[in-house]
Every structure is written in C-alpha cells, then in structure tokens.
Amino acid sequence: MKEITSLVTGGAGFIGSHLVDNLVKQRHKVVVLDDLSGGFETNVNSEAIFIHGSILNNQLVDELFREYNFTYVFHLAAYAAEGLSHFIRRFNYQNNVIGSVNLINASVKFKVKRFVFTSSIAVYGSVNPPYIENQTPEPEDPYGIAKYAIEMDLRAANTMFGLDYVIFRPHNVFGERQNIADPYRNVVGIFMNQSLQGSPLTVFGNGEQSRAFSYIADVVPLIANSVNIDSAKNQVFNIGSDSTKTINELIEALEDVTHRAYQVKYYPKRKEVTHAFADHSKLKSVFTQAKTTTTLAQGLRQMWQWVEQQGAQETTKFESIELTKNLPNSWKQ
C-alpha cells in the first residue's frame, strides 16, 4: 500500500497542530510547514517532519512538493485576525491569498489527490444567520474577502485542472495550544490571558454580540477524516458548535470555571458582525460522526487547565500596522 504523505501548513499553530496529531494517528507521514509567526515548534508532534518556512516562498513550496510527493494538502496557514485585517490589508492579502495560490499551483503541478482548505465563516459577512453553505457570501473585512477568494480559486482550479478540494468554514474554535498572547483574535484566549494577568476583561460594544464557541476536539477529527470521504469531495462545509452564547454569557461561564469574578472594561463597538452562527445540516449529512460532544463549560475547563499550566503571556502587538485611521484606541496602546 502506498504511503500517505500529507502537508499541513500552519501545523505549529493551534488548529494545525491538533490536526497533525490526528493525521499521525491515521498513520499519515506528515510534513509541517510553518513560519512560526503565530505558532510554536513545541506544538508539533514529534513524529511529524517540521520545516520552518513560509508559504510565500514558492521555491521552497515546490521543493517540498517535489521531495515528498504529497498525497494530500491541509492548508491552515493564515493570519486570521478579522478585525485587524482592515488595517493590515497588504499583509493580509500577501499571506492569505498569494501564499495560498503558491500551494494551489504546486498541488496542480505535483498531482495532489485532495486539497483541504480551512476557510472561515468570515466569508458570510453581512448575510443573516444561521449561515448556510448555499448562501452567497458577502464578506465585510479583508480577511473574509481573502478566504472567499481562495474558495473561488479552488473551484476554478478544479474546473480547469481537476484539483479536488474540501473547504471548511470553522468558527470561534477554542482550546489547548491557542496563542493567548494574541490580542486581536480568539476572544476565549484573550479573556483567559487577561484573567491570569489580573487585568479587566476587554469587550468591544455591549457584549451582547453572539458567537457559537466550538471546542477544538469537536472540529479537528472531521477535517482530518475529510480526505477519506468521497462525498465530501469538492464541497463546502460549515463546522463548529450549534450552541450560541453572547460575550457576556461567555464571561459568566468563564467565571464559573475559574472561580473568579471579573471586572469588564467595555470599549466602543467596532465594525463587526453582531450575531454569527452557522447551520451544520450539510456537515452532519456527510460526516456521520459530526456532533458537538463538548459543552462550553467542559471546553473552557479543559482549556483553563492548560492555560494555568502555561501561565500568563505577554501580549504581543502587531508591529506593522499599515493604516491607523479608525484603528480602535485599545489596539494603539
């Protein structure tokens, strides 16, 4: 039987490293390509081959495809800060579009069997929830625009070159290995780091915006298994929790888990979707194991245990802001 070799871009990051673990369990030979801009080499499974490099380096990308003859590509490398993407437009499109195109080109040239892409529900933008895959996306920020551009490019590559793909649109995934030092994305990690720092929890707006917080262990196994399911081929799937909570309710749940009472600092509302949650009927019809088995409280408890072991992290600000007009004041400090 031919050895299955999989490339995981962003495999030192949060979701990517958990995906690598799942693929190793499935006996894939896994190569991780990561520039460590948001991930950590310590996250990478010891049985995987780690390459420190960027998807922007198309020569390196081609060399890896030539050397390892990948069966599958799992593309998770991205800078996934939706709100910040308005102010780092060039950086966003270079990393999230041009880097992705380098991988798609190589996948066509070296005859990859399936390209698995983690998009985002950010593509839906102003569409009224619950988001359904057959709705026409209306992304409102450069991050969502970039993700949707690659979704369309994959469809074009399939039509022109026969490159098969699976697209996932995950939302608000949290859990162990999340980069809690990042102040621009992943509100659960931000809150937990602020808790350890003894700082107030910071909320944009009144905290009544709602999200479906999704625990990592309920999401990653489905992404890993997508290459084994023929009916998933060339399809788009929402993936994540069915249960929605407001940010204020998230804070209450976190207080229950950590046994702490939090001071909350409310900042002016920023431009973002107020309510974001998705329908998962299509996912469940194709992936028979697709079900949310972890409650918000259980997931928060698991993550909090890990975060406490790591300790508070120094918040790392993005240093190359391109536009400062309308940049939230809290991001200027």
PDB file of all heavy atoms in Angstrom, residues 121-149:
ATOM      1  N   ILE A 121     -16.124  31.353   8.634  1.00  0.00           N
ATOM      2  CA  ILE A 121     -17.465  31.924   8.451  1.00  0.00           C
ATOM      3  C   ILE A 121     -17.380  33.432   8.246  1.00  0.00           C
ATOM      4  O   ILE A 121     -18.398  34.073   7.975  1.00  0.00           O
ATOM      5  CB  ILE A 121     -18.444  31.582   9.592  1.00  0.00           C
ATOM      6  CG1 ILE A 121     -18.011  32.193  10.915  1.00  0.00           C
ATOM      7  CG2 ILE A 121     -18.690  30.104   9.681  1.00  0.00           C
ATOM      8  CD1 ILE A 121     -19.148  32.199  11.941  1.00  0.00           C
ATOM      9  N   ALA A 122     -16.174  33.994   8.321  1.00  0.00           N
ATOM     10  CA  ALA A 122     -15.998  35.412   7.977  1.00  0.00           C
ATOM     11  C   ALA A 122     -16.411  35.680   6.535  1.00  0.00           C
ATOM     12  O   ALA A 122     -16.712  36.827   6.179  1.00  0.00           O
ATOM     13  CB  ALA A 122     -14.552  35.840   8.188  1.00  0.00           C
ATOM     14  N   VAL A 123     -16.452  34.644   5.683  1.00  0.00           N
ATOM     15  CA  VAL A 123     -16.853  34.857   4.283  1.00  0.00           C
ATOM     16  C   VAL A 123     -18.305  35.301   4.189  1.00  0.00           C
ATOM     17  O   VAL A 123     -18.682  35.975   3.226  1.00  0.00           O
ATOM     18  CB  VAL A 123     -16.629  33.598   3.408  1.00  0.00           C
ATOM     19  CG1 VAL A 123     -15.171  33.152   3.453  1.00  0.00           C
ATOM     20  CG2 VAL A 123     -17.558  32.474   3.806  1.00  0.00           C
ATOM     21  N   TYR A 124     -19.142  34.928   5.177  1.00  0.00           N
ATOM     22  CA  TYR A 124     -20.566  35.264   5.089  1.00  0.00           C
ATOM     23  C   TYR A 124     -20.817  36.748   5.315  1.00  0.00           C
ATOM     24  O   TYR A 124     -21.731  37.329   4.738  1.00  0.00           O
ATOM     25  CB  TYR A 124     -21.363  34.441   6.108  1.00  0.00           C
ATOM     26  CG  TYR A 124     -21.463  32.984   5.768  1.00  0.00           C
ATOM     27  CD1 TYR A 124     -20.764  32.035   6.504  1.00  0.00           C
ATOM     28  CD2 TYR A 124     -22.262  32.545   4.716  1.00  0.00           C
ATOM     29  CE1 TYR A 124     -20.847  30.685   6.203  1.00  0.00           C
ATOM     30  CE2 TYR A 124     -22.360  31.191   4.403  1.00  0.00           C
ATOM     31  CZ  TYR A 124     -21.650  30.270   5.153  1.00  0.00           C
ATOM     32  OH  TYR A 124     -21.736  28.928   4.845  1.00  0.00           O
ATOM     33  N   GLY A 125     -20.014  37.367   6.170  1.00  0.00           N
ATOM     34  CA  GLY A 125     -20.144  38.798   6.408  1.00  0.00           C
ATOM     35  C   GLY A 125     -21.517  39.208   6.864  1.00  0.00           C
ATOM     36  O   GLY A 125     -21.989  38.792   7.925  1.00  0.00           O
ATOM     37  N   SER A 126     -22.202  39.999   6.034  1.00  0.00           N
ATOM     38  CA  SER A 126     -23.477  40.590   6.427  1.00  0.00           C
ATOM     39  C   SER A 126     -24.685  39.698   6.149  1.00  0.00           C
ATOM     40  O   SER A 126     -25.827  40.118   6.347  1.00  0.00           O
ATOM     41  CB  SER A 126     -23.665  41.927   5.701  1.00  0.00           C
ATOM     42  OG  SER A 126     -23.621  41.740   4.296  1.00  0.00           O
ATOM     43  N   VAL A 127     -24.460  38.468   5.700  1.00  0.00           N
ATOM     44  CA  VAL A 127     -25.567  37.531   5.482  1.00  0.00           C
ATOM     45  C   VAL A 127     -26.245  37.242   6.828  1.00  0.00           C
ATOM     46  O   VAL A 127     -25.588  37.112   7.860  1.00  0.00           O
ATOM     47  CB  VAL A 127     -25.048  36.219   4.852  1.00  0.00           C
ATOM     48  CG1 VAL A 127     -26.140  35.161   4.807  1.00  0.00           C
ATOM     49  CG2 VAL A 127     -24.509  36.486   3.457  1.00  0.00           C
ATOM     50  N   ASN A 128     -27.569  37.157   6.825  1.00  0.00           N
ATOM     51  CA  ASN A 128     -28.284  36.885   8.071  1.00  0.00           C
ATOM     52  C   ASN A 128     -28.066  35.439   8.516  1.00  0.00           C
ATOM     53  O   ASN A 128     -28.222  34.516   7.728  1.00  0.00           O
ATOM     54  CB  ASN A 128     -29.790  37.133   7.901  1.00  0.00           C
ATOM     55  CG  ASN A 128     -30.119  38.601   7.780  1.00  0.00           C
ATOM     56  OD1 ASN A 128     -29.459  39.448   8.384  1.00  0.00           O
ATOM     57  ND2 ASN A 128     -31.143  38.929   7.001  1.00  0.00           N
ATOM     58  N   PRO A 129     -27.713  35.216   9.799  1.00  0.00           N
ATOM     59  CA  PRO A 129     -27.541  33.848  10.298  1.00  0.00           C
ATOM     60  C   PRO A 129     -28.901  33.199  10.560  1.00  0.00           C
ATOM     61  O   PRO A 129     -29.904  33.902  10.675  1.00  0.00           O
ATOM     62  CB  PRO A 129     -26.766  34.066  11.602  1.00  0.00           C
ATOM     63  CG  PRO A 129     -27.159  35.429  12.065  1.00  0.00           C
ATOM     64  CD  PRO A 129     -27.404  36.236  10.816  1.00  0.00           C
ATOM     65  N   PRO A 130     -28.942  31.859  10.657  1.00  0.00           N
ATOM     66  CA  PRO A 130     -27.798  30.951  10.585  1.00  0.00           C
ATOM     67  C   PRO A 130     -27.257  30.840   9.160  1.00  0.00           C
ATOM     68  O   PRO A 130     -28.019  30.777   8.198  1.00  0.00           O
ATOM     69  CB  PRO A 130     -28.374  29.616  11.059  1.00  0.00           C
ATOM     70  CG  PRO A 130     -29.828  29.694  10.712  1.00  0.00           C
ATOM     71  CD  PRO A 130     -30.204  31.136  10.910  1.00  0.00           C
ATOM     72  N   TYR A 131     -25.930  30.816   9.040  1.00  0.00           N
ATOM     73  CA  TYR A 131     -25.274  30.747   7.750  1.00  0.00           C
ATOM     74  C   TYR A 131     -25.448  29.359   7.146  1.00  0.00           C
ATOM     75  O   TYR A 131     -25.241  28.348   7.817  1.00  0.00           O
ATOM     76  CB  TYR A 131     -23.791  31.056   7.885  1.00  0.00           C
ATOM     77  CG  TYR A 131     -23.486  32.374   8.548  1.00  0.00           C
ATOM     78  CD1 TYR A 131     -22.472  32.471   9.487  1.00  0.00           C
ATOM     79  CD2 TYR A 131     -24.196  33.531   8.225  1.00  0.00           C
ATOM     80  CE1 TYR A 131     -22.173  33.689  10.100  1.00  0.00           C
ATOM     81  CE2 TYR A 131     -23.910  34.747   8.827  1.00  0.00           C
ATOM     82  CZ  TYR A 131     -22.896  34.822   9.765  1.00  0.00           C
ATOM     83  OH  TYR A 131     -22.604  36.017  10.367  1.00  0.00           O
ATOM     84  N   ILE A 132     -25.801  29.322   5.869  1.00  0.00           N
ATOM     85  CA  ILE A 132     -25.974  28.069   5.137  1.00  0.00           C
ATOM     86  C   ILE A 132     -25.046  28.109   3.927  1.00  0.00           C
ATOM     87  O   ILE A 132     -24.895  29.154   3.277  1.00  0.00           O
ATOM     88  CB  ILE A 132     -27.439  27.871   4.713  1.00  0.00           C
ATOM     89  CG1 ILE A 132     -28.353  27.896   5.957  1.00  0.00           C
ATOM     90  CG2 ILE A 132     -27.615  26.565   3.948  1.00  0.00           C
ATOM     91  CD1 ILE A 132     -29.829  27.907   5.642  1.00  0.00           C
ATOM     92  N   GLU A 133     -24.444  26.986   3.605  1.00  0.00           N
ATOM     93  CA  GLU A 133     -23.395  26.953   2.585  1.00  0.00           C
ATOM     94  C   GLU A 133     -23.844  27.451   1.215  1.00  0.00           C
ATOM     95  O   GLU A 133     -23.028  27.948   0.441  1.00  0.00           O
ATOM     96  CB  GLU A 133     -22.832  25.534   2.449  1.00  0.00           C
ATOM     97  CG  GLU A 133     -22.057  25.044   3.658  1.00  0.00           C
ATOM     98  CD  GLU A 133     -22.916  24.353   4.704  1.00  0.00           C
ATOM     99  OE1 GLU A 133     -24.180  24.476   4.629  1.00  0.00           O
ATOM    100  OE2 GLU A 133     -22.358  23.698   5.607  1.00  0.00           O
ATOM    101  N   ASN A 134     -25.140  27.328   0.903  1.00  0.00           N
ATOM    102  CA  ASN A 134     -25.581  27.744  -0.427  1.00  0.00           C
ATOM    103  C   ASN A 134     -25.949  29.225  -0.492  1.00  0.00           C
ATOM    104  O   ASN A 134     -26.360  29.720  -1.554  1.00  0.00           O
ATOM    105  CB  ASN A 134     -26.747  26.884  -0.912  1.00  0.00           C
ATOM    106  CG  ASN A 134     -27.981  26.978  -0.022  1.00  0.00           C
ATOM    107  OD1 ASN A 134     -28.038  27.790   0.897  1.00  0.00           O
ATOM    108  ND2 ASN A 134     -28.973  26.133  -0.296  1.00  0.00           N
ATOM    109  N   GLN A 135     -25.791  29.951   0.616  1.00  0.00           N
ATOM    110  CA  GLN A 135     -25.975  31.398   0.575  1.00  0.00           C
ATOM    111  C   GLN A 135     -24.786  32.053  -0.130  1.00  0.00           C
ATOM    112  O   GLN A 135     -23.668  31.543  -0.069  1.00  0.00           O
ATOM    113  CB  GLN A 135     -26.098  31.966   1.995  1.00  0.00           C
ATOM    114  CG  GLN A 135     -27.374  31.547   2.719  1.00  0.00           C
ATOM    115  CD  GLN A 135     -27.359  31.980   4.182  1.00  0.00           C
ATOM    116  OE1 GLN A 135     -26.419  31.677   4.907  1.00  0.00           O
ATOM    117  NE2 GLN A 135     -28.394  32.672   4.601  1.00  0.00           N
ATOM    118  N   THR A 136     -25.037  33.166  -0.782  1.00  0.00           N
ATOM    119  CA  THR A 136     -23.944  33.902  -1.436  1.00  0.00           C
ATOM    120  C   THR A 136     -23.193  34.714  -0.399  1.00  0.00           C
ATOM    121  O   THR A 136     -23.775  35.593   0.242  1.00  0.00           O
ATOM    122  CB  THR A 136     -24.480  34.840  -2.525  1.00  0.00           C
ATOM    123  OG1 THR A 136     -25.203  34.066  -3.496  1.00  0.00           O
ATOM    124  CG2 THR A 136     -23.335  35.568  -3.217  1.00  0.00           C
ATOM    125  N   PRO A 137     -21.908  34.438  -0.188  1.00  0.00           N
ATOM    126  CA  PRO A 137     -21.138  35.171   0.820  1.00  0.00           C
ATOM    127  C   PRO A 137     -21.071  36.670   0.525  1.00  0.00           C
ATOM    128  O   PRO A 137     -21.054  37.077  -0.641  1.00  0.00           O
ATOM    129  CB  PRO A 137     -19.754  34.531   0.749  1.00  0.00           C
ATOM    130  CG  PRO A 137     -20.008  33.151   0.235  1.00  0.00           C
ATOM    131  CD  PRO A 137     -21.123  33.333  -0.759  1.00  0.00           C
ATOM    132  N   GLU A 138     -21.014  37.468   1.588  1.00  0.00           N
ATOM    133  CA  GLU A 138     -20.858  38.915   1.480  1.00  0.00           C
ATOM    134  C   GLU A 138     -19.812  39.370   2.499  1.00  0.00           C
ATOM    135  O   GLU A 138     -20.119  40.103   3.439  1.00  0.00           O
ATOM    136  CB  GLU A 138     -22.196  39.613   1.731  1.00  0.00           C
ATOM    137  CG  GLU A 138     -23.296  39.254   0.748  1.00  0.00           C
ATOM    138  CD  GLU A 138     -24.628  39.910   1.068  1.00  0.00           C
ATOM    139  OE1 GLU A 138     -24.617  40.925   1.801  1.00  0.00           O
ATOM    140  OE2 GLU A 138     -25.668  39.414   0.603  1.00  0.00           O
ATOM    141  N   PRO A 139     -18.547  38.943   2.328  1.00  0.00           N
ATOM    142  CA  PRO A 139     -17.526  39.274   3.336  1.00  0.00           C
ATOM    143  C   PRO A 139     -17.364  40.780   3.488  1.00  0.00           C
ATOM    144  O   PRO A 139     -17.414  41.524   2.505  1.00  0.00           O
ATOM    145  CB  PRO A 139     -16.264  38.617   2.783  1.00  0.00           C
ATOM    146  CG  PRO A 139     -16.519  38.435   1.318  1.00  0.00           C
ATOM    147  CD  PRO A 139     -17.992  38.208   1.187  1.00  0.00           C
ATOM    148  N   GLU A 140     -17.154  41.215   4.738  1.00  0.00           N
ATOM    149  CA  GLU A 140     -17.079  42.640   5.037  1.00  0.00           C
ATOM    150  C   GLU A 140     -15.684  43.101   5.437  1.00  0.00           C
ATOM    151  O   GLU A 140     -15.468  44.295   5.604  1.00  0.00           O
ATOM    152  CB  GLU A 140     -18.070  42.992   6.155  1.00  0.00           C
ATOM    153  CG  GLU A 140     -19.521  42.816   5.763  1.00  0.00           C
ATOM    154  CD  GLU A 140     -20.464  43.371   6.805  1.00  0.00           C
ATOM    155  OE1 GLU A 140     -20.152  43.265   8.008  1.00  0.00           O
ATOM    156  OE2 GLU A 140     -21.510  43.925   6.422  1.00  0.00           O
ATOM    157  N   ASP A 141     -14.768  42.177   5.617  1.00  0.00           N
ATOM    158  CA  ASP A 141     -13.414  42.571   6.004  1.00  0.00           C
ATOM    159  C   ASP A 141     -12.414  41.880   5.085  1.00  0.00           C
ATOM    160  O   ASP A 141     -12.724  40.863   4.451  1.00  0.00           O
ATOM    161  CB  ASP A 141     -13.134  42.213   7.473  1.00  0.00           C
ATOM    162  CG  ASP A 141     -13.372  40.749   7.778  1.00  0.00           C
ATOM    163  OD1 ASP A 141     -12.597  39.903   7.271  1.00  0.00           O
ATOM    164  OD2 ASP A 141     -14.314  40.425   8.527  1.00  0.00           O
ATOM    165  N   PRO A 142     -11.189  42.418   4.970  1.00  0.00           N
ATOM    166  CA  PRO A 142     -10.201  41.838   4.054  1.00  0.00           C
ATOM    167  C   PRO A 142      -9.880  40.376   4.353  1.00  0.00           C
ATOM    168  O   PRO A 142      -9.569  39.623   3.417  1.00  0.00           O
ATOM    169  CB  PRO A 142      -8.980  42.740   4.248  1.00  0.00           C
ATOM    170  CG  PRO A 142      -9.559  44.068   4.601  1.00  0.00           C
ATOM    171  CD  PRO A 142     -10.736  43.736   5.490  1.00  0.00           C
ATOM    172  N   TYR A 143      -9.946  39.981   5.603  1.00  0.00           N
ATOM    173  CA  TYR A 143      -9.697  38.567   5.922  1.00  0.00           C
ATOM    174  C   TYR A 143     -10.753  37.683   5.271  1.00  0.00           C
ATOM    175  O   TYR A 143     -10.429  36.687   4.615  1.00  0.00           O
ATOM    176  CB  TYR A 143      -9.687  38.369   7.436  1.00  0.00           C
ATOM    177  CG  TYR A 143      -9.593  36.926   7.855  1.00  0.00           C
ATOM    178  CD1 TYR A 143      -8.419  36.193   7.657  1.00  0.00           C
ATOM    179  CD2 TYR A 143     -10.675  36.276   8.445  1.00  0.00           C
ATOM    180  CE1 TYR A 143      -8.333  34.863   8.031  1.00  0.00           C
ATOM    181  CE2 TYR A 143     -10.592  34.949   8.831  1.00  0.00           C
ATOM    182  CZ  TYR A 143      -9.426  34.243   8.629  1.00  0.00           C
ATOM    183  OH  TYR A 143      -9.342  32.917   8.992  1.00  0.00           O
ATOM    184  N   GLY A 144     -12.026  38.029   5.441  1.00  0.00           N
ATOM    185  CA  GLY A 144     -13.093  37.247   4.829  1.00  0.00           C
ATOM    186  C   GLY A 144     -13.021  37.284   3.313  1.00  0.00           C
ATOM    187  O   GLY A 144     -13.288  36.282   2.640  1.00  0.00           O
ATOM    188  N   ILE A 145     -12.663  38.438   2.756  1.00  0.00           N
ATOM    189  CA  ILE A 145     -12.504  38.562   1.302  1.00  0.00           C
ATOM    190  C   ILE A 145     -11.415  37.615   0.803  1.00  0.00           C
ATOM    191  O   ILE A 145     -11.580  36.927  -0.213  1.00  0.00           O
ATOM    192  CB  ILE A 145     -12.179  40.016   0.924  1.00  0.00           C
ATOM    193  CG1 ILE A 145     -13.377  40.915   1.201  1.00  0.00           C
ATOM    194  CG2 ILE A 145     -11.762  40.121  -0.542  1.00  0.00           C
ATOM    195  CD1 ILE A 145     -13.075  42.399   1.132  1.00  0.00           C
ATOM    196  N   ALA A 146     -10.296  37.566   1.533  1.00  0.00           N
ATOM    197  CA  ALA A 146      -9.184  36.693   1.137  1.00  0.00           C
ATOM    198  C   ALA A 146      -9.598  35.230   1.174  1.00  0.00           C
ATOM    199  O   ALA A 146      -9.280  34.454   0.266  1.00  0.00           O
ATOM    200  CB  ALA A 146      -7.982  36.934   2.055  1.00  0.00           C
ATOM    201  N   LYS A 147     -10.292  34.846   2.230  1.00  0.00           N
ATOM    202  CA  LYS A 147     -10.730  33.448   2.341  1.00  0.00           C
ATOM    203  C   LYS A 147     -11.686  33.083   1.205  1.00  0.00           C
ATOM    204  O   LYS A 147     -11.575  31.992   0.601  1.00  0.00           O
ATOM    205  CB  LYS A 147     -11.398  33.225   3.703  1.00  0.00           C
ATOM    206  CG  LYS A 147     -10.439  33.194   4.880  1.00  0.00           C
ATOM    207  CD  LYS A 147      -9.536  31.981   4.831  1.00  0.00           C
ATOM    208  CE  LYS A 147      -8.747  31.787   6.102  1.00  0.00           C
ATOM    209  NZ  LYS A 147      -7.849  30.607   6.061  1.00  0.00           N
ATOM    210  N   TYR A 148     -12.607  33.977   0.905  1.00  0.00           N
ATOM    211  CA  TYR A 148     -13.562  33.683  -0.156  1.00  0.00           C
ATOM    212  C   TYR A 148     -12.880  33.648  -1.518  1.00  0.00           C
ATOM    213  O   TYR A 148     -13.240  32.842  -2.388  1.00  0.00           O
ATOM    214  CB  TYR A 148     -14.692  34.706  -0.146  1.00  0.00           C
ATOM    215  CG  TYR A 148     -15.840  34.343  -1.059  1.00  0.00           C
ATOM    216  CD1 TYR A 148     -16.348  33.040  -1.094  1.00  0.00           C
ATOM    217  CD2 TYR A 148     -16.430  35.292  -1.888  1.00  0.00           C
ATOM    218  CE1 TYR A 148     -17.400  32.702  -1.929  1.00  0.00           C
ATOM    219  CE2 TYR A 148     -17.481  34.968  -2.724  1.00  0.00           C
ATOM    220  CZ  TYR A 148     -17.958  33.669  -2.747  1.00  0.00           C
ATOM    221  OH  TYR A 148     -19.002  33.331  -3.580  1.00  0.00           O
ATOM    222  N   ALA A 149     -11.862  34.489  -1.694  1.00  0.00           N
ATOM    223  CA  ALA A 149     -11.109  34.466  -2.957  1.00  0.00           C
ATOM    224  C   ALA A 149     -10.472  33.099  -3.182  1.00  0.00           C
ATOM    225  O   ALA A 149     -10.485  32.570  -4.311  1.00  0.00           O
ATOM    226  CB  ALA A 149     -10.032  35.556  -2.945  1.00  0.00           C
TER     227      ALA A 149
END
